[in-house]
Short mmCIF file of all heavy atoms in Angstrom, two decimals:
data_model
loop_
_atom_site.label_atom_id
_atom_site.label_comp_id
_atom_site.label_asym_id
_atom_site.label_seq_id
_atom_site.Cartn_x
_atom_site.Cartn_y
_atom_site.Cartn_z
N ILE Y 80 -24.32 113.46 -1.05
CA ILE Y 80 -22.90 113.32 -1.44
C ILE Y 80 -22.77 113.08 -2.88
O ILE Y 80 -21.69 112.97 -3.47
CB ILE Y 80 -22.29 112.28 -0.44
CG1 ILE Y 80 -22.35 112.87 0.88
CG2 ILE Y 80 -20.84 111.94 -0.89
CD1 ILE Y 80 -22.17 111.94 1.99
N CYS Y 112 -22.40 107.72 -0.64
CA CYS Y 112 -21.86 108.16 0.64
C CYS Y 112 -20.31 108.26 0.59
O CYS Y 112 -19.75 107.71 -0.29
CB CYS Y 112 -22.36 107.14 1.71
SG CYS Y 112 -21.67 105.59 1.54
N GLN Y 113 -19.92 108.87 1.58
CA GLN Y 113 -18.46 109.28 1.64
C GLN Y 113 -17.89 108.46 2.84
O GLN Y 113 -18.14 108.77 4.01
CB GLN Y 113 -18.39 110.73 1.94
CG GLN Y 113 -16.99 111.32 1.91
CD GLN Y 113 -17.09 112.80 2.33
OE1 GLN Y 113 -17.90 113.22 3.05
NE2 GLN Y 113 -16.17 113.58 1.80
N LEU Y 114 -17.06 107.44 2.48
CA LEU Y 114 -16.48 106.62 3.45
C LEU Y 114 -15.12 106.99 3.82
O LEU Y 114 -14.12 106.49 3.41
CB LEU Y 114 -16.48 105.15 2.94
CG LEU Y 114 -17.82 104.56 2.70
CD1 LEU Y 114 -17.84 103.46 1.64
CD2 LEU Y 114 -18.61 104.16 3.93
N PHE Y 115 -14.94 108.14 4.51
CA PHE Y 115 -13.64 108.71 4.90
C PHE Y 115 -13.33 108.49 6.32
O PHE Y 115 -12.34 107.83 6.72
CB PHE Y 115 -13.64 110.23 4.61
CG PHE Y 115 -13.50 110.56 3.16
CD1 PHE Y 115 -13.67 109.65 2.09
CD2 PHE Y 115 -13.37 111.84 2.70
CE1 PHE Y 115 -13.51 109.88 0.82
CE2 PHE Y 115 -13.26 112.24 1.38
CZ PHE Y 115 -13.43 111.22 0.40
N SER Y 116 -14.21 109.08 7.25
CA SER Y 116 -13.85 109.02 8.66
C SER Y 116 -13.86 107.72 9.26
O SER Y 116 -14.72 106.80 8.83
CB SER Y 116 -14.86 109.87 9.41
OG SER Y 116 -14.87 111.16 8.90
N GLU Y 117 -13.09 107.47 10.27
CA GLU Y 117 -12.95 106.20 11.03
C GLU Y 117 -12.97 106.51 12.46
O GLU Y 117 -12.76 107.65 12.90
CB GLU Y 117 -11.72 105.43 10.67
CG GLU Y 117 -11.58 105.16 9.13
CD GLU Y 117 -10.35 104.27 8.78
OE1 GLU Y 117 -9.54 104.07 9.72
OE2 GLU Y 117 -10.13 104.13 7.57
N PRO Y 118 -13.25 105.54 13.30
CA PRO Y 118 -13.16 105.90 14.78
C PRO Y 118 -11.83 106.50 15.22
O PRO Y 118 -11.79 107.35 16.04
CB PRO Y 118 -13.39 104.50 15.38
CG PRO Y 118 -14.02 103.61 14.34
CD PRO Y 118 -13.64 104.17 13.07
N GLY Y 119 -10.87 106.08 14.52
CA GLY Y 119 -9.51 106.66 14.95
C GLY Y 119 -9.14 107.81 14.10
O GLY Y 119 -8.05 108.44 14.52
N CYS Y 120 -9.78 108.23 13.15
CA CYS Y 120 -9.33 109.47 12.44
C CYS Y 120 -10.51 110.20 11.70
O CYS Y 120 -11.33 109.56 11.12
CB CYS Y 120 -8.37 109.09 11.42
SG CYS Y 120 -8.92 108.13 10.08
N GLY Y 121 -10.64 111.44 12.06
CA GLY Y 121 -11.64 112.28 11.41
C GLY Y 121 -11.02 113.49 10.85
O GLY Y 121 -10.79 113.68 9.63
N SER Y 122 -10.52 114.37 11.70
CA SER Y 122 -9.75 115.56 11.16
C SER Y 122 -8.45 115.00 10.53
O SER Y 122 -8.04 115.62 9.48
CB SER Y 122 -9.30 116.37 12.44
OG SER Y 122 -10.37 116.90 13.13
N ASP Y 123 -7.93 114.03 11.09
CA ASP Y 123 -6.59 113.55 10.52
C ASP Y 123 -6.85 112.40 9.51
O ASP Y 123 -6.58 111.22 9.74
CB ASP Y 123 -5.74 113.08 11.65
CG ASP Y 123 -4.32 112.61 11.19
OD1 ASP Y 123 -3.99 112.90 10.06
OD2 ASP Y 123 -3.67 111.85 12.06
N LEU Y 124 -7.61 112.71 8.38
CA LEU Y 124 -8.08 111.70 7.55
C LEU Y 124 -7.06 110.82 6.89
O LEU Y 124 -7.28 109.67 6.69
CB LEU Y 124 -8.85 112.31 6.36
CG LEU Y 124 -10.26 112.62 6.45
CD1 LEU Y 124 -10.81 113.15 5.20
CD2 LEU Y 124 -11.02 111.35 6.88
N LYS Y 144 -15.61 102.26 9.04
CA LYS Y 144 -15.79 103.65 8.78
C LYS Y 144 -16.91 104.15 9.77
O LYS Y 144 -17.71 103.26 10.30
CB LYS Y 144 -16.22 103.95 7.34
CG LYS Y 144 -15.11 103.70 6.40
CD LYS Y 144 -14.04 104.70 6.35
CE LYS Y 144 -12.82 104.30 5.47
NZ LYS Y 144 -11.75 105.31 5.58
N VAL Y 145 -16.95 105.42 9.98
CA VAL Y 145 -17.96 105.89 11.04
C VAL Y 145 -18.58 107.31 10.55
O VAL Y 145 -17.81 107.91 9.78
CB VAL Y 145 -17.38 105.89 12.39
CG1 VAL Y 145 -16.44 106.95 12.59
CG2 VAL Y 145 -18.44 105.93 13.44
N TRP Y 146 -19.63 107.66 11.20
CA TRP Y 146 -20.38 108.96 10.88
C TRP Y 146 -20.66 109.04 9.41
O TRP Y 146 -20.62 110.14 8.80
CB TRP Y 146 -19.45 110.12 11.32
CG TRP Y 146 -19.07 110.09 12.71
CD1 TRP Y 146 -19.76 109.86 13.78
CD2 TRP Y 146 -17.56 110.16 13.18
NE1 TRP Y 146 -18.91 109.93 14.94
CE2 TRP Y 146 -17.64 110.09 14.53
CE3 TRP Y 146 -16.31 110.35 12.57
CZ2 TRP Y 146 -16.48 110.09 15.32
CZ3 TRP Y 146 -15.21 110.36 13.31
CH2 TRP Y 146 -15.32 110.26 14.73
N THR Y 147 -20.93 107.94 8.74
CA THR Y 147 -21.20 107.95 7.37
C THR Y 147 -22.55 108.32 6.99
O THR Y 147 -23.44 107.48 7.03
CB THR Y 147 -20.74 106.64 6.71
OG1 THR Y 147 -19.56 106.20 7.26
CG2 THR Y 147 -20.68 106.76 5.13
N THR Y 148 -22.78 109.58 6.57
CA THR Y 148 -24.08 110.10 6.23
C THR Y 148 -24.64 109.33 5.05
O THR Y 148 -23.93 108.97 4.03
CB THR Y 148 -24.04 111.61 5.85
OG1 THR Y 148 -23.49 112.30 7.00
CG2 THR Y 148 -25.39 112.15 5.59
N SER Y 149 -25.93 108.92 5.21
CA SER Y 149 -26.70 108.30 4.05
C SER Y 149 -26.24 106.87 3.65
O SER Y 149 -26.78 106.33 2.70
CB SER Y 149 -26.58 109.11 2.68
OG SER Y 149 -27.31 110.23 2.91
N ALA Y 150 -25.29 106.29 4.41
CA ALA Y 150 -24.83 104.95 3.99
C ALA Y 150 -25.98 103.92 3.85
O ALA Y 150 -25.98 103.02 3.08
CB ALA Y 150 -23.79 104.38 4.95
N LEU Y 157 -17.68 106.42 -1.73
CA LEU Y 157 -16.35 106.90 -2.01
C LEU Y 157 -15.46 106.44 -0.85
O LEU Y 157 -15.70 106.84 0.30
CB LEU Y 157 -16.23 108.40 -2.16
CG LEU Y 157 -17.17 109.19 -3.08
CD1 LEU Y 157 -17.20 110.64 -2.83
CD2 LEU Y 157 -16.80 108.80 -4.50
N GLN Y 191 -27.70 110.26 16.40
CA GLN Y 191 -27.01 111.44 16.60
C GLN Y 191 -27.58 112.08 17.88
O GLN Y 191 -28.64 111.72 18.41
CB GLN Y 191 -27.22 112.43 15.48
CG GLN Y 191 -26.49 112.03 14.22
CD GLN Y 191 -27.21 112.30 12.98
OE1 GLN Y 191 -26.90 111.73 12.03
NE2 GLN Y 191 -28.21 113.10 13.09
N SER Y 197 -28.99 109.89 10.73
CA SER Y 197 -28.68 110.11 9.29
C SER Y 197 -27.25 109.62 9.05
O SER Y 197 -26.82 109.55 7.93
CB SER Y 197 -28.91 111.50 8.86
OG SER Y 197 -28.18 112.44 9.68
N PHE Y 198 -26.47 109.36 10.08
CA PHE Y 198 -25.19 108.72 9.78
C PHE Y 198 -25.07 107.32 10.28
O PHE Y 198 -25.98 106.80 11.02
CB PHE Y 198 -23.95 109.69 10.11
CG PHE Y 198 -23.87 110.16 11.51
CD1 PHE Y 198 -24.21 109.41 12.63
CD2 PHE Y 198 -23.23 111.39 11.79
CE1 PHE Y 198 -23.92 109.93 13.90
CE2 PHE Y 198 -23.08 111.88 12.96
CZ PHE Y 198 -23.37 111.11 14.06
N LEU Y 228 -12.93 116.84 -0.70
CA LEU Y 228 -12.95 117.77 0.48
C LEU Y 228 -13.13 119.21 0.08
O LEU Y 228 -13.86 119.93 0.70
CB LEU Y 228 -11.74 117.63 1.33
CG LEU Y 228 -11.55 116.20 2.12
CD1 LEU Y 228 -10.22 116.10 2.73
CD2 LEU Y 228 -12.76 116.00 3.02
N GLU Y 231 -16.55 119.83 -0.81
CA GLU Y 231 -17.37 119.70 0.37
C GLU Y 231 -17.38 121.09 1.11
O GLU Y 231 -18.41 121.57 1.58
CB GLU Y 231 -16.94 118.59 1.28
CG GLU Y 231 -17.81 118.44 2.49
CD GLU Y 231 -17.50 117.12 3.31
OE1 GLU Y 231 -16.36 116.52 3.06
OE2 GLU Y 231 -18.34 116.70 4.08
N ARG Y 232 -16.19 121.66 1.32
CA ARG Y 232 -16.03 122.83 2.09
C ARG Y 232 -16.71 124.02 1.32
O ARG Y 232 -17.35 124.85 1.82
CB ARG Y 232 -14.60 123.16 2.37
CG ARG Y 232 -14.19 122.31 3.56
CD ARG Y 232 -12.71 122.14 3.69
NE ARG Y 232 -12.40 121.10 4.53
CZ ARG Y 232 -11.33 120.29 4.59
NH1 ARG Y 232 -10.33 120.62 3.71
NH2 ARG Y 232 -11.11 119.35 5.36
N TYR Y 266 -31.41 114.27 5.45
CA TYR Y 266 -31.16 115.65 5.45
C TYR Y 266 -32.33 116.50 6.01
O TYR Y 266 -32.29 117.64 5.86
CB TYR Y 266 -30.88 116.12 4.01
CG TYR Y 266 -29.66 115.37 3.47
CD1 TYR Y 266 -29.78 114.17 2.68
CD2 TYR Y 266 -28.37 115.79 3.67
CE1 TYR Y 266 -28.77 113.53 2.16
CE2 TYR Y 266 -27.33 115.08 3.23
CZ TYR Y 266 -27.46 113.95 2.49
OH TYR Y 266 -26.38 113.25 2.14
N TRP Y 268 -33.29 117.30 8.73
CA TRP Y 268 -33.02 118.27 9.86
C TRP Y 268 -32.03 119.35 9.42
O TRP Y 268 -31.62 120.10 10.27
CB TRP Y 268 -32.60 117.48 11.09
CG TRP Y 268 -31.39 116.57 10.90
CD1 TRP Y 268 -31.44 115.33 10.24
CD2 TRP Y 268 -30.02 116.87 11.18
NE1 TRP Y 268 -30.13 114.86 10.24
CE2 TRP Y 268 -29.28 115.75 10.79
CE3 TRP Y 268 -29.42 117.96 11.79
CZ2 TRP Y 268 -27.90 115.62 10.96
CZ3 TRP Y 268 -28.00 117.81 12.01
CH2 TRP Y 268 -27.33 116.77 11.67
N TYR Y 269 -31.53 119.26 8.23
CA TYR Y 269 -30.52 120.21 7.82
C TYR Y 269 -30.79 121.70 8.05
O TYR Y 269 -29.95 122.41 8.48
CB TYR Y 269 -30.06 119.96 6.33
CG TYR Y 269 -28.81 118.95 6.22
CD1 TYR Y 269 -28.80 117.81 7.12
CD2 TYR Y 269 -27.82 119.23 5.42
CE1 TYR Y 269 -27.75 117.01 7.03
CE2 TYR Y 269 -26.73 118.35 5.38
CZ TYR Y 269 -26.66 117.26 6.15
OH TYR Y 269 -25.55 116.47 6.16
N ARG Y 272 -29.98 122.49 11.55
CA ARG Y 272 -28.57 122.52 11.86
C ARG Y 272 -28.06 123.90 11.55
O ARG Y 272 -27.00 124.35 12.04
CB ARG Y 272 -27.81 121.43 11.33
CG ARG Y 272 -27.40 121.44 9.91
CD ARG Y 272 -26.59 120.21 9.48
NE ARG Y 272 -25.50 120.62 8.62
CZ ARG Y 272 -24.49 119.83 8.14
NH1 ARG Y 272 -24.53 118.51 8.57
NH2 ARG Y 272 -23.64 120.16 7.39
N PRO Y 376 -24.45 121.90 16.54
CA PRO Y 376 -22.96 121.48 16.61
C PRO Y 376 -22.51 120.72 15.40
O PRO Y 376 -21.36 120.68 15.20
CB PRO Y 376 -22.96 120.67 17.91
CG PRO Y 376 -24.02 121.03 18.69
CD PRO Y 376 -25.18 121.48 17.68
N ALA Y 377 -23.50 120.17 14.67
CA ALA Y 377 -23.05 119.46 13.45
C ALA Y 377 -22.24 120.35 12.50
O ALA Y 377 -21.36 119.93 11.85
CB ALA Y 377 -24.32 119.04 12.71
N VAL Y 378 -22.64 121.67 12.36
CA VAL Y 378 -22.05 122.55 11.37
C VAL Y 378 -20.57 122.75 11.67
O VAL Y 378 -19.82 122.83 10.78
CB VAL Y 378 -22.86 123.93 11.34
CG1 VAL Y 378 -22.23 124.71 10.21
CG2 VAL Y 378 -24.33 123.65 11.19
N SER Y 379 -20.25 122.85 13.01
CA SER Y 379 -18.78 123.13 13.29
C SER Y 379 -18.03 121.92 13.41
O SER Y 379 -16.83 121.95 13.73
CB SER Y 379 -18.79 123.96 14.56
OG SER Y 379 -19.60 123.38 15.64
N ILE Y 380 -18.69 120.75 13.00
CA ILE Y 380 -17.82 119.49 13.12
C ILE Y 380 -17.80 118.76 11.72
O ILE Y 380 -16.75 118.51 11.29
CB ILE Y 380 -18.38 118.43 14.15
CG1 ILE Y 380 -18.36 119.03 15.53
CG2 ILE Y 380 -17.60 117.12 14.11
CD1 ILE Y 380 -19.03 118.26 16.62
N ALA Y 381 -18.95 118.56 11.09
CA ALA Y 381 -19.05 117.85 9.76
C ALA Y 381 -18.26 118.56 8.76
O ALA Y 381 -18.29 119.76 8.69
CB ALA Y 381 -20.52 117.75 9.45
N GLY Y 382 -17.62 117.73 7.98
CA GLY Y 382 -16.91 118.33 6.86
C GLY Y 382 -15.67 119.14 7.12
O GLY Y 382 -15.20 119.93 6.44
N GLY Y 383 -15.19 118.83 8.35
CA GLY Y 383 -14.01 119.63 8.85
C GLY Y 383 -14.37 120.58 9.88
O GLY Y 383 -15.23 121.45 9.75
N THR Y 384 -13.79 120.41 11.11
CA THR Y 384 -14.17 121.31 12.26
C THR Y 384 -13.75 122.67 12.08
O THR Y 384 -12.84 122.99 11.18
CB THR Y 384 -13.49 120.74 13.56
OG1 THR Y 384 -12.08 120.87 13.38
CG2 THR Y 384 -13.85 119.26 13.77
N ASP Y 385 -14.30 123.62 12.92
CA ASP Y 385 -13.80 124.94 12.86
C ASP Y 385 -12.40 125.16 13.02
O ASP Y 385 -11.64 125.90 12.32
CB ASP Y 385 -14.49 125.72 13.97
CG ASP Y 385 -15.92 126.10 13.71
OD1 ASP Y 385 -16.49 125.67 12.71
OD2 ASP Y 385 -16.57 126.77 14.60
N GLU Y 386 -11.77 124.31 13.90
CA GLU Y 386 -10.37 124.38 14.11
C GLU Y 386 -9.51 124.05 12.77
O GLU Y 386 -8.61 124.68 12.50
CB GLU Y 386 -9.94 123.37 15.29
CG GLU Y 386 -10.41 123.90 16.63
CD GLU Y 386 -11.93 123.69 16.80
OE1 GLU Y 386 -12.49 122.92 16.13
OE2 GLU Y 386 -12.42 124.39 17.73
N ILE Y 387 -10.07 123.05 12.10
CA ILE Y 387 -9.41 122.61 10.96
C ILE Y 387 -9.53 123.74 9.82
O ILE Y 387 -8.70 124.08 9.11
CB ILE Y 387 -9.96 121.24 10.34
CG1 ILE Y 387 -9.65 120.11 11.41
CG2 ILE Y 387 -9.39 120.90 9.09
CD1 ILE Y 387 -8.21 119.92 11.73
N ASN Y 390 -7.12 126.33 10.60
CA ASN Y 390 -5.75 125.93 10.12
C ASN Y 390 -5.67 126.21 8.59
O ASN Y 390 -4.57 126.66 8.19
CB ASN Y 390 -5.42 124.51 10.46
CG ASN Y 390 -5.27 124.20 11.92
OD1 ASN Y 390 -5.10 125.08 12.73
ND2 ASN Y 390 -5.27 122.92 12.29
N GLU Y 402 1.81 123.67 10.78
CA GLU Y 402 2.12 122.99 12.04
C GLU Y 402 3.34 122.16 11.95
O GLU Y 402 3.47 121.49 11.03
CB GLU Y 402 0.94 122.05 12.39
CG GLU Y 402 -0.41 122.78 12.61
CD GLU Y 402 -0.32 123.59 13.94
OE1 GLU Y 402 -0.07 123.02 15.02
OE2 GLU Y 402 -0.56 124.77 13.88
N ASN Y 417 -4.27 106.12 16.83
CA ASN Y 417 -5.34 105.53 17.68
C ASN Y 417 -5.47 104.07 17.52
O ASN Y 417 -5.29 103.52 16.43
CB ASN Y 417 -6.62 106.21 17.28
CG ASN Y 417 -6.72 107.53 17.84
OD1 ASN Y 417 -6.65 107.87 18.96
ND2 ASN Y 417 -6.80 108.48 16.90
N GLN E 453 -0.62 127.79 17.03
CA GLN E 453 -2.03 127.70 16.53
C GLN E 453 -2.87 128.83 17.21
O GLN E 453 -3.75 129.25 16.57
CB GLN E 453 -2.56 126.37 16.81
CG GLN E 453 -3.68 125.90 15.92
CD GLN E 453 -4.15 124.59 16.27
OE1 GLN E 453 -4.48 124.32 17.32
NE2 GLN E 453 -4.22 123.79 15.22
N HIS E 457 -5.22 130.78 14.62
CA HIS E 457 -6.53 130.83 14.73
C HIS E 457 -7.16 132.27 14.98
O HIS E 457 -8.12 132.59 14.37
CB HIS E 457 -7.14 129.85 15.80
CG HIS E 457 -6.92 128.41 15.38
ND1 HIS E 457 -7.64 127.35 16.06
CD2 HIS E 457 -6.25 127.92 14.41
CE1 HIS E 457 -7.36 126.25 15.48
NE2 HIS E 457 -6.51 126.47 14.47
C1 FAD T 636 -23.52 115.40 11.05
C2 FAD T 636 -22.14 114.79 10.68
C3 FAD T 636 -22.10 114.19 9.37
C4 FAD T 636 -20.88 113.48 8.99
N1 FAD T 636 -20.87 112.83 7.80
C5 FAD T 636 -19.71 112.23 7.40
C6 FAD T 636 -19.75 111.51 6.19
O1 FAD T 636 -20.72 111.43 5.46
N2 FAD T 636 -18.57 110.83 5.87
C7 FAD T 636 -17.45 110.84 6.61
O2 FAD T 636 -16.52 110.26 6.29
N3 FAD T 636 -17.38 111.65 7.78
C8 FAD T 636 -18.50 112.28 8.19
N4 FAD T 636 -18.51 113.03 9.35
C9 FAD T 636 -17.33 112.95 10.22
C10 FAD T 636 -16.66 114.25 10.24
O3 FAD T 636 -16.03 114.55 9.07
C11 FAD T 636 -15.64 114.22 11.48
O4 FAD T 636 -16.36 114.06 12.63
C12 FAD T 636 -14.85 115.49 11.61
O5 FAD T 636 -13.96 115.66 10.53
C13 FAD T 636 -14.01 115.55 12.88
O6 FAD T 636 -13.22 114.40 13.14
P1 FAD T 636 -13.31 113.65 14.53
O7 FAD T 636 -14.75 113.44 14.84
O8 FAD T 636 -12.51 112.39 14.45
O9 FAD T 636 -12.77 114.59 15.66
P2 FAD T 636 -11.29 114.75 16.02
O10 FAD T 636 -10.35 114.86 14.84
O11 FAD T 636 -10.79 113.73 17.00
O12 FAD T 636 -11.22 116.22 16.73
C14 FAD T 636 -11.60 116.40 18.04
C15 FAD T 636 -11.38 117.82 18.45
O13 FAD T 636 -9.92 118.15 18.23
C16 FAD T 636 -9.77 119.11 17.37
N5 FAD T 636 -8.57 118.98 16.48
C17 FAD T 636 -8.24 117.94 15.74
N6 FAD T 636 -7.22 118.10 15.07
C18 FAD T 636 -6.79 119.33 15.36
C19 FAD T 636 -5.69 120.16 14.85
N7 FAD T 636 -4.76 119.75 14.02
N8 FAD T 636 -5.59 121.41 15.42
C20 FAD T 636 -6.47 121.92 16.31
N9 FAD T 636 -7.51 121.16 16.71
C21 FAD T 636 -7.71 119.91 16.22
C22 FAD T 636 -11.06 119.28 16.46
O14 FAD T 636 -11.27 120.47 15.85
C23 FAD T 636 -12.06 118.77 17.51
O15 FAD T 636 -12.45 119.92 18.20
C24 FAD T 636 -19.69 113.59 9.81
C25 FAD T 636 -19.81 114.21 11.09
C26 FAD T 636 -21.00 114.82 11.43
C27 FAD T 636 -21.05 115.52 12.78
#
Side-chain angles (χ1 to χ4, degrees):
Chain Y
I80 294 160
C112 65
Q113 186 185 27
L114 298 157
F115 285 6
S116 303
E117 300 181 6
C120 68
S122 302
D123 183 18
L124 271 186
K144 296 285 174 179
V145 74
W146 307 306
T147 314
T148 303
S149 287
L157 305 170
Q191 292 144 194
S197 54
F198 58 34
L228 293 172
E231 185 170 17
R232 283 162 194 154
Y266 300 96
W268 57 282
Y269 266 44
R272 81 180 218 171
V378 184
S379 49
I380 298 175
T384 63
D385 281 6
E386 289 73 20
I387 297 300
N390 286 350
E402 293 294 298
N417 289 296
Chain E
Q453 206 180 50
H457 284 196

